[in-house]
Amino acid sequence: MKLLRYGALGQEKPALLDSKGALRDLSGTIPDLAGKALTAASLAKIGAIDPESLPIVSGSPRLGACVGDVRNFIAVGLNFADHAAETGAEIPKEPILFNKAPNCIVGPNDDVIIPKGSVKTDWEVELAIVIGDGGSYIPEDKAMAAIAGFCVCNDVSEREFQIERGGQWAKGKGCPTFGPLGPWLVTTDEIKDIQNLGMWLEIDGERVQNGSTKTMIFGAAYLVHYISQFMRLDPGDVITTGTPPGVGLGFKPPRFLKGGEVVTLGIEGLGEQKQNFVAYKG
């Protein structure tokens, strides 16, 4: 299934995308695409519904983030071998984890605001995992069963805040609007091989990232297993899993967003995003 949320910011309703590309309202079945609505039992209930029995959503409404009320937004750094190479970093022996602020999450086509004082705002197309049943100490061979689905994330980053201001990476990762998610949450049964999906990102029509999940150092199942050793993963938690090469930091000289750019990105089978980057105006 391809599940999504639509409507005005803060008033999103759950929906699914039918086989003809129409939005079908799910608000009579679940209150939101969030929390316990993402457990295996809930998704099985949704999957048993005939989409044509659901109300069709008219027009072209705004798409919200494909998962709501996210409590934990966990990110993995330097998780693509070719991206590590472009930054000159060593291959990590274990996953590098940091947090993005959950309230930085926005819809896939919402504007992204370059923060006050930013001089190094960067882009990162990423595969995001949305947790279903979750838990602690999840065995790797059970990890896929703990996942509700996958989506596209733009892990927008401010590199000066992240690298040059001391402390942890979180400083450059959680600014408002720095977490576009969607357009859809695609359930695991629709993805044949999560470790073999093409990924891309363009700036004003110029392709700058062109990679694949096959170069991930730590795969999706292992990341769920690994992270669950340190925290409990709850339904609706999001893990964004790293980016392929082509980020602004890797250009020679580095290249960053100033405002006025249109950024489009996508992952095979998971849909596309399109954002206007807007300079902070106070």
PDB file of all heavy atoms in Angstrom, residues 114-121 158 160-161 165 280:
ATOM      1  N   ILE A 114      15.754  28.350   4.841  1.00  0.00           N
ATOM      2  CA  ILE A 114      17.163  28.415   5.207  1.00  0.00           C
ATOM      3  C   ILE A 114      17.269  29.232   6.494  1.00  0.00           C
ATOM      4  O   ILE A 114      16.752  30.344   6.578  1.00  0.00           O
ATOM      5  CB  ILE A 114      17.978  29.051   4.072  1.00  0.00           C
ATOM      6  CG1 ILE A 114      17.952  28.120   2.844  1.00  0.00           C
ATOM      7  CG2 ILE A 114      19.415  29.319   4.515  1.00  0.00           C
ATOM      8  CD1 ILE A 114      18.627  28.674   1.624  1.00  0.00           C
ATOM      9  N   PRO A 115      17.882  28.666   7.542  1.00  0.00           N
ATOM     10  CA  PRO A 115      17.815  29.319   8.853  1.00  0.00           C
ATOM     11  C   PRO A 115      18.600  30.627   8.932  1.00  0.00           C
ATOM     12  O   PRO A 115      19.498  30.896   8.128  1.00  0.00           O
ATOM     13  CB  PRO A 115      18.396  28.274   9.808  1.00  0.00           C
ATOM     14  CG  PRO A 115      19.170  27.342   8.956  1.00  0.00           C
ATOM     15  CD  PRO A 115      18.547  27.360   7.594  1.00  0.00           C
ATOM     16  N   LYS A 116      18.252  31.405   9.919  1.00  0.00           N
ATOM     17  CA  LYS A 116      18.931  32.673  10.189  1.00  0.00           C
ATOM     18  C   LYS A 116      20.429  32.428  10.377  1.00  0.00           C
ATOM     19  O   LYS A 116      20.840  31.553  11.134  1.00  0.00           O
ATOM     20  CB  LYS A 116      18.345  33.307  11.445  1.00  0.00           C
ATOM     21  CG  LYS A 116      18.947  34.646  11.820  1.00  0.00           C
ATOM     22  CD  LYS A 116      18.265  35.190  13.072  1.00  0.00           C
ATOM     23  CE  LYS A 116      18.846  36.537  13.479  1.00  0.00           C
ATOM     24  NZ  LYS A 116      18.166  37.083  14.686  1.00  0.00           N
ATOM     25  N   GLY A 117      21.250  33.175   9.682  1.00  0.00           N
ATOM     26  CA  GLY A 117      22.694  33.073   9.818  1.00  0.00           C
ATOM     27  C   GLY A 117      23.327  31.924   9.066  1.00  0.00           C
ATOM     28  O   GLY A 117      24.541  31.730   9.138  1.00  0.00           O
ATOM     29  N   SER A 118      22.536  31.180   8.306  1.00  0.00           N
ATOM     30  CA  SER A 118      23.086  30.028   7.594  1.00  0.00           C
ATOM     31  C   SER A 118      23.964  30.470   6.430  1.00  0.00           C
ATOM     32  O   SER A 118      23.613  31.375   5.665  1.00  0.00           O
ATOM     33  CB  SER A 118      21.962  29.151   7.053  1.00  0.00           C
ATOM     34  OG  SER A 118      22.465  28.181   6.151  1.00  0.00           O
ATOM     35  N   VAL A 119      25.107  29.792   6.301  1.00  0.00           N
ATOM     36  CA  VAL A 119      25.961  29.994   5.133  1.00  0.00           C
ATOM     37  C   VAL A 119      26.257  28.679   4.416  1.00  0.00           C
ATOM     38  O   VAL A 119      26.862  28.671   3.343  1.00  0.00           O
ATOM     39  CB  VAL A 119      27.295  30.680   5.518  1.00  0.00           C
ATOM     40  CG1 VAL A 119      27.049  32.108   5.975  1.00  0.00           C
ATOM     41  CG2 VAL A 119      28.041  29.902   6.595  1.00  0.00           C
ATOM     42  N   LYS A 120      25.806  27.536   5.001  1.00  0.00           N
ATOM     43  CA  LYS A 120      26.160  26.242   4.427  1.00  0.00           C
ATOM     44  C   LYS A 120      24.985  25.268   4.499  1.00  0.00           C
ATOM     45  O   LYS A 120      25.102  24.148   4.990  1.00  0.00           O
ATOM     46  CB  LYS A 120      27.380  25.655   5.142  1.00  0.00           C
ATOM     47  CG  LYS A 120      28.657  26.485   4.955  1.00  0.00           C
ATOM     48  CD  LYS A 120      29.862  25.850   5.624  1.00  0.00           C
ATOM     49  CE  LYS A 120      31.107  26.703   5.389  1.00  0.00           C
ATOM     50  NZ  LYS A 120      32.316  26.117   6.033  1.00  0.00           N
ATOM     51  N   THR A 121      23.827  25.685   3.991  1.00  0.00           N
ATOM     52  CA  THR A 121      22.679  24.780   3.945  1.00  0.00           C
ATOM     53  C   THR A 121      22.850  23.792   2.792  1.00  0.00           C
ATOM     54  O   THR A 121      23.129  24.175   1.660  1.00  0.00           O
ATOM     55  CB  THR A 121      21.370  25.565   3.801  1.00  0.00           C
ATOM     56  OG1 THR A 121      21.144  26.318   5.006  1.00  0.00           O
ATOM     57  CG2 THR A 121      20.184  24.644   3.584  1.00  0.00           C
ATOM     58  N   GLU A 158      22.608  21.988   7.873  1.00  0.00           N
ATOM     59  CA  GLU A 158      23.405  23.212   7.859  1.00  0.00           C
ATOM     60  C   GLU A 158      24.805  22.829   8.335  1.00  0.00           C
ATOM     61  O   GLU A 158      25.023  22.524   9.506  1.00  0.00           O
ATOM     62  CB  GLU A 158      22.791  24.282   8.760  1.00  0.00           C
ATOM     63  CG  GLU A 158      23.012  25.711   8.299  1.00  0.00           C
ATOM     64  CD  GLU A 158      24.461  26.175   8.210  1.00  0.00           C
ATOM     65  OE1 GLU A 158      25.346  25.561   8.822  1.00  0.00           O
ATOM     66  OE2 GLU A 158      24.714  27.191   7.518  1.00  0.00           O
ATOM     67  N   GLU A 160      27.793  24.369   8.657  1.00  0.00           N
ATOM     68  CA  GLU A 160      28.543  25.145   9.644  1.00  0.00           C
ATOM     69  C   GLU A 160      28.016  24.831  11.043  1.00  0.00           C
ATOM     70  O   GLU A 160      28.789  24.591  11.973  1.00  0.00           O
ATOM     71  CB  GLU A 160      28.435  26.642   9.372  1.00  0.00           C
ATOM     72  CG  GLU A 160      29.296  27.456  10.348  1.00  0.00           C
ATOM     73  CD  GLU A 160      28.997  28.946  10.311  1.00  0.00           C
ATOM     74  OE1 GLU A 160      27.844  29.321  10.079  1.00  0.00           O
ATOM     75  OE2 GLU A 160      29.942  29.708  10.546  1.00  0.00           O
ATOM     76  N   PHE A 161      26.696  24.837  11.210  1.00  0.00           N
ATOM     77  CA  PHE A 161      26.111  24.525  12.505  1.00  0.00           C
ATOM     78  C   PHE A 161      26.514  23.108  12.939  1.00  0.00           C
ATOM     79  O   PHE A 161      26.810  22.865  14.109  1.00  0.00           O
ATOM     80  CB  PHE A 161      24.586  24.599  12.445  1.00  0.00           C
ATOM     81  CG  PHE A 161      24.002  25.944  12.106  1.00  0.00           C
ATOM     82  CD1 PHE A 161      22.629  26.063  11.949  1.00  0.00           C
ATOM     83  CD2 PHE A 161      24.779  27.069  11.935  1.00  0.00           C
ATOM     84  CE1 PHE A 161      22.046  27.278  11.641  1.00  0.00           C
ATOM     85  CE2 PHE A 161      24.211  28.302  11.618  1.00  0.00           C
ATOM     86  CZ  PHE A 161      22.837  28.402  11.470  1.00  0.00           C
ATOM     87  N   ARG A 165      30.481  24.359  14.889  1.00  0.00           N
ATOM     88  CA  ARG A 165      29.979  25.069  16.063  1.00  0.00           C
ATOM     89  C   ARG A 165      30.133  24.266  17.354  1.00  0.00           C
ATOM     90  O   ARG A 165      29.580  24.641  18.393  1.00  0.00           O
ATOM     91  CB  ARG A 165      28.502  25.447  15.839  1.00  0.00           C
ATOM     92  CG  ARG A 165      28.269  26.365  14.643  1.00  0.00           C
ATOM     93  CD  ARG A 165      28.758  27.773  14.900  1.00  0.00           C
ATOM     94  NE  ARG A 165      27.991  28.444  15.920  1.00  0.00           N
ATOM     95  CZ  ARG A 165      26.857  29.106  15.691  1.00  0.00           C
ATOM     96  NH1 ARG A 165      26.358  29.193  14.463  1.00  0.00           N
ATOM     97  NH2 ARG A 165      26.225  29.695  16.680  1.00  0.00           N
ATOM     98  N   TYR A 280      15.652  32.845   5.028  1.00  0.00           N
ATOM     99  CA  TYR A 280      15.013  33.325   6.251  1.00  0.00           C
ATOM    100  C   TYR A 280      14.827  34.848   6.176  1.00  0.00           C
ATOM    101  O   TYR A 280      15.740  35.573   5.820  1.00  0.00           O
ATOM    102  CB  TYR A 280      15.877  32.963   7.453  1.00  0.00           C
ATOM    103  CG  TYR A 280      15.361  33.457   8.785  1.00  0.00           C
ATOM    104  CD1 TYR A 280      14.386  32.737   9.485  1.00  0.00           C
ATOM    105  CD2 TYR A 280      15.827  34.643   9.357  1.00  0.00           C
ATOM    106  CE1 TYR A 280      13.924  33.173  10.703  1.00  0.00           C
ATOM    107  CE2 TYR A 280      15.356  35.092  10.578  1.00  0.00           C
ATOM    108  CZ  TYR A 280      14.408  34.361  11.246  1.00  0.00           C
ATOM    109  OH  TYR A 280      13.929  34.784  12.447  1.00  0.00           O
TER     110      TYR A 280
END
